[in-house]
Amino acid sequence: MSYDPAPSANCPVRAAQYLRMSSENQRYSTENQQNAIAEYAQQHGYEVVASYIDAGKSGLSLKGRDALRQLLSDALGSKRLFEAILVLDVSRWGRFQNPDQAAHYEFLCRQAGINVVYCAEPFGEDVAPVTTIVKHLKRVMAGEYSRELSGKLARAKRQQAELGFRQGSRVLYGFRRVLVDPSRNPKQFLKDGERKALSNDKVVVVPGPPEELEVIRRIFRMYVGDEFSITRIARCLADESIRGHAGKLLTPAMVRTILSSELCIGRMTYNRTVHRLQSPVTKNPEHAWTRFSAFEPIVPVALYAKAQERLARHKLWDKDTIKTALKKLLGREGYLKQKLIEQAKDAPSAETVAAHFGSLYAAYEAVGYRPPPVSPFGNNGKHWSKKEIMEGLRKLHAARGYITNRLINKCAYLPSDNYIRRHLGSIANALREAGLPIIPHGEVQKRSWERRKSAGCDEYYRGVRWTDTRLLRALRQLEQQFGYTSANLIDQNGSTPKSGYYVKRFGSITRARKLAKLPSRSHSDITLAACKRRKQGILIRRQWQDSNRPPVLRYRTEDILRGLRALARREGKITIALIDDEPTLPAAATVIHHFGSISRAYRLAGLVRLDGWPIRHGLPGRR
């Protein structure tokens, strides 16, 4: 949208012009519409002061037509720069399938005192009853044109699909689109998003590189032979940095599409779903599909059939189907609980139920089931009254000066933090009821950093010990090598910890430079130097977190496992809290990220579940 300067009171009637061009109607270009509207405005005493343009937008609905949305908003606003709206014809206002929708938007404008004028229509701005009838017929004809065009395009696409030509601009991972002439002679490969330029040219699908085809076969073997879940398959491929189109990782949705696509057995399939006139996508019955054998199967047909059988058993769940399954299970068993849901073959997993409803209790409420009250016993085999919890919190705060989840879990005269959260809503609510101050999360994190620093834990970064002296020396070396230091340079040079580590250790990069005895620089000096580097083309910009460049500094698996065994040997057991407090080990979150889970790290370190200790691990033979 663009505005011209506001005219004076003696000028003609101020008007806004609305222009819309759909991709399939090039004769309605915005330039042609603008010229016709300008001629009409000059002849009928209008001055165009604002332009609203929807280029390449369908007129079937208001969806995606930002310019029309803004026009209606400005027309209904208290301050308006125009008194009329000029449109070329009824079809440019919209080809709404319900003609009353177009009339509704026009009525809103007229009710606000703004006339909608159709410049290329014989009735123009006339609002007589006969004109209203003609205008309504025009709206019906505009919508009918879209319906007929949609039917013609659908038939033409089905005919082309029956001949083996690809419909659409995207193709499955592992396959490529090839542009061919009418005689099916190949001309070139098409990249993702590219389209043919000539109407006589056609597009066919061919198998892609051998390494991608091998990934497809491997996906089928993992899904059918190893019975991996789709999510696990996607995770395995992501761990190996296997990427699809545009360098993106293969998500679970992409893996499911590969498993269900008939391209894997050399057959192109079209018309599986229908999505016309911006209506919701609906599935067609199988007898309405269009199939064409294009090439030899990529995976064995028997293996593909087994994959389809397993996919049919693991259908996609939504709230309605989940509620139906839970009601059926409730009617059959008379009650609901997590273990029962997991064992039921006609119901989704408890994790799926919780993901759709937020929690299992919310799902129970949705199906009208009220579970029995949970017994307050079970936390260390003791009943904890609210009074005891309040007294314990006050005692802990008096002893330590602050309260965290870790302190609560280590405290012998308090239940676990999960117990308090379940019965009192949150730790903050419990502290509030106990009359204790609530520490902000930032302050809790700052104190945690200070404790780790005092214990020597923060001297380790990616398995390498970094003392203050070594960090400052590295900063001076960067200054000597590049002539400056910045957060992006520190993050990407590959020989030092990240800038956040410097901030965590010294408070800020500026203070670190001061401690390293580097010359101080003002904000203006930093900005000017960055502008100079940008002009020279040597500016180091911030990289995305999923950069393909592997970090130089890595944790050594052997060192972490050796440290876990040493910690378990010294303490007699091992927990996440002990790992976080151990100066010779990285944080527990880092251990989990490195091995995938804390239980896998324990298993690789040779640690086992201890008898008599709930959820505790240690060396074999310990009690």
Side-chain angles (χ1 to χ4, degrees):
M1 183 191 67
S2 59
Y3 283 114
D4 292 336
S8 63
N10 297 326
C11 289
V13 178
R14 297 177 302 174
Q17 61 178 353
Y18 175 69
L19 315 173
R20 183 186 66 82
M21 179 189 69
S22 57
S23 57
E24 68 273 7
N25 292 319
Q26 296 301 322
R27 67 189 181 92
Y28 286 111
S29 67
T30 55
E31 291 79 7
N32 293 340
Q33 297 178 53
Q34 195 167 4
N35 293 335
I37 291 176
E39 182 180 354
Y40 182 91
Q42 184 178 5
Q43 295 175 357
H44 293 81
Y46 292 99
E47 180 183 8
V48 178
V49 297
S51 298
Y52 299 80
I53 304 175
D54 277 325
K57 301 296 183 181
S58 171
L60 292 174
S61 69
L62 199 61
K63 181 181 180 180
R65 298 169 65 182
D66 297 334
L68 181 57
R69 289 174 179 269
Q70 188 63 43
L71 173 61
L72 296 174
S73 177
D74 294 344
L76 301 178
S78 57
K79 295 182 180 180
R80 297 189 294 267
L81 298 178
F82 50 87
E83 288 81 32
I85 299 175
L86 303 182
V87 191
L88 181 63
D89 57 25
V90 171
S91 67
R92 296 306 90 199
W93 186 252
R95 297 185 183 275
F96 301 100
Q97 297 306 291
N98 186 350
D100 292 339
Q101 186 177 1
H104 170 70
Y105 297 143
E106 181 179 336
F107 168 75
L108 293 177
C109 296
R110 293 188 180 278
Q111 190 180 37
I114 296 180
N115 292 330
V116 179
V117 181
Y118 301 99
C119 303
E121 301 289 1
F123 43 79
E125 56 182 299
D126 189 11
V127 293
V130 176
T131 299
T132 304
I133 296 175
V134 175
K135 190 184 300 183
H136 184 79
L137 291 176
K138 288 273 188 177
R139 295 190 183 110
V140 174
M141 292 169 59
E144 185 62 25
Y145 171 82
S146 295
R147 283 191 289 270
E148 292 179 355
L149 181 62
S150 176
K152 293 177 181 178
L153 290 175
R155 287 192 297 271
K157 289 183 177 181
R158 283 199 300 271
Q159 292 174 358
Q160 293 297 315
E162 290 174 354
L163 297 175
F165 297 121
R166 172 72 179 180
Q167 308 300 311
S169 60
R170 290 191 175 185
V171 72
L172 189 69
Y173 167 82
F175 300 89
R176 297 293 186 269
R177 294 180 302 133
V178 179
L179 186 66
V180 298
D181 60 18
S183 301
R184 293 183 182 268
N185 297 317
K187 300 176 68 174
Q188 69 177 67
F189 284 95
L190 293 178
K191 297 180 180 179
D192 189 25
E194 291 184 344
R195 299 175 181 269
K196 62 180 183 179
L198 303 177
S199 59
N200 291 333
D201 289 342
K202 306 297 180 183
V203 178
V204 297
V205 178
V206 298
E211 57 270 15
E212 294 188 7
L213 300 182
E214 181 57 32
V215 171
I216 292 178
R217 299 186 187 99
R218 182 184 171 193
I219 289 175
F220 276 88
R221 290 195 298 267
M222 295 169 68
Y223 187 70
V224 177
D226 300 333
E227 294 189 352
F228 283 8
S229 66
I230 293 177
T231 303
R232 184 177 178 183
I233 294 174
R235 189 183 299 116
C236 292
L237 298 178
D239 292 340
E240 300 177 15
S241 298
I242 296 177
R243 298 177 179 269
H245 298 300
K248 297 181 179 179
L249 295 174
L250 296 180
T251 63
M254 296 179 183
V255 174
R256 174 178 283 275
T257 302
I258 291 173
L259 291 170
S260 61
S261 175
E262 293 188 353
L263 275 177
C264 297
I265 55 175
R267 190 162 57 193
M268 291 177 55
T269 308
Y270 181 71
N271 201 37
R272 297 184 63 172
T273 60
V274 59
H275 178 49
R276 297 180 188 170
L277 302 175
Q278 297 188 0
S279 59
V281 179
T282 57
K283 294 183 179 181
N284 285 330
E286 190 170 353
H287 64 79
W289 297 359
T290 300
R291 289 187 170 98
F292 179 85
S293 297
F295 41 81
E296 293 297 323
I298 305 301
V299 299
V301 177
L303 182 63
Y304 178 84
K306 292 181 180 179
Q308 305 316 301
E309 293 178 1
R310 188 180 178 197
L311 284 174
R313 295 195 303 267
H314 295 80
K315 62 180 180 179
L316 296 176
W317 296 92
D318 54 25
K319 281 193 173 182
D320 293 335
T321 55
I322 292 175
K323 288 170 63 175
T324 302
L326 292 181
K327 288 180 180 179
K328 184 178 179 180
L329 181 61
L330 178 62
R332 184 171 66 243
E333 302 293 341
Y335 68 98
L336 293 175
K337 66 177 183 178
Q338 180 176 349
K339 185 176 181 180
L340 182 64
I341 295 175
E342 293 287 355
Q343 294 175 348
K345 295 183 178 181
D346 56 349
S349 64
E351 182 180 358
T352 302
V353 176
H356 281 81
F357 290 90
S359 66
L360 290 179
Y361 288 98
Y364 297 160
E365 184 178 356
V367 299
Y369 173 67
R370 184 183 295 274
V374 179
S375 173
F377 297 91
N379 194 271
N380 298 334
K382 176 182 178 181
H383 169 72
W384 295 89
S385 66
K386 186 176 180 180
K387 180 180 179 181
E388 290 176 324
I389 295 176
M390 297 294 106
E391 292 178 353
L393 290 175
R394 297 188 189 99
K395 182 179 179 181
L396 179 61
H397 186 272
R400 302 300 296 267
Y402 64 95
I403 291 179
T404 63
N405 293 339
R406 186 177 301 173
L407 288 179
I408 293 175
N409 290 330
K410 288 184 176 181
C411 185
Y413 47 83
L414 275 175
S416 67
D417 63 319
N418 288 330
Y419 184 93
I420 297 175
R421 194 176 292 108
R422 183 170 67 246
H423 290 279
L424 299 178
S426 66
I427 301 297
N429 289 341
L431 295 177
R432 193 178 294 109
E433 293 190 30
L436 300 175
I438 301 175
I439 304 176
H441 176 72
E443 183 65 23
V444 174
Q445 189 178 46
K446 182 179 179 181
R447 293 183 179 183
S448 175
W449 288 351
E450 292 176 352
R451 291 194 302 273
R452 287 181 59 84
K453 184 176 180 181
S454 61
C457 302
D458 279 347
E459 290 188 1
Y460 286 83
Y461 182 83
R462 296 187 184 274
V464 178
R465 186 176 183 181
W466 290 87
T467 62
D468 291 355
T469 303
R470 187 177 180 183
L471 285 173
L472 298 177
R473 186 190 307 119
L475 204 60
R476 286 192 293 269
Q477 291 174 354
L478 285 180
E479 183 79 18
Q480 293 174 1
Q481 181 179 356
F482 296 94
Y484 72 98
T485 54
S486 66
N488 291 339
L489 177 61
I490 296 174
D491 288 339
Q492 301 176 33
N493 70 87
S495 60
T496 65
K498 296 295 182 68
S499 59
Y501 188 79
Y502 275 88
V503 174
K504 184 177 177 181
R505 183 72 73 89
F506 300 107
S508 66
I509 300 296
T510 303
R511 189 169 185 274
R513 285 180 54 86
K514 184 178 180 181
L515 294 174
K517 297 182 179 179
L518 296 176
S520 60
R521 298 177 302 169
S522 64
H523 180 72
S524 299
D525 295 337
I526 297 174
T527 304
L528 291 175
C531 292
K532 183 178 179 180
R533 291 194 297 272
R534 183 171 62 249
K535 291 180 179 179
Q536 295 174 352
I538 60 174
L539 180 66
I540 299 178
R541 301 181 181 275
R542 182 177 301 176
Q543 290 186 346
W544 294 103
Q545 294 296 325
D546 59 347
S547 173
N548 293 327
R549 181 177 63 86
V552 175
L553 301 176
R554 294 178 179 271
Y555 288 110
R556 295 184 58 186
T557 301
E558 298 80 4
D559 293 342
I560 297 178
L561 296 179
R562 188 182 303 111
L564 292 176
R565 288 191 291 267
L567 178 61
R569 188 179 302 110
R570 187 180 73 243
E571 299 293 336
K573 63 181 183 300
I574 190 168
T575 64
I576 289 179
L578 290 174
I579 295 175
D580 283 333
D581 292 338
E582 176 59 31
T584 61
L585 282 174
T590 304
V591 176
I592 294 173
H593 178 75
H594 188 89
F595 293 98
S597 67
I598 196 66
S599 60
R600 185 169 184 268
Y602 292 162
R603 185 168 61 254
L604 293 175
L607 305 178
V608 297
R609 181 72 65 86
L610 297 179
D611 296 335
W613 288 84
I615 320 180
R616 291 292 185 270
H617 289 74
L619 294 173
R622 294 273 181 157
R623 291 292 183 268

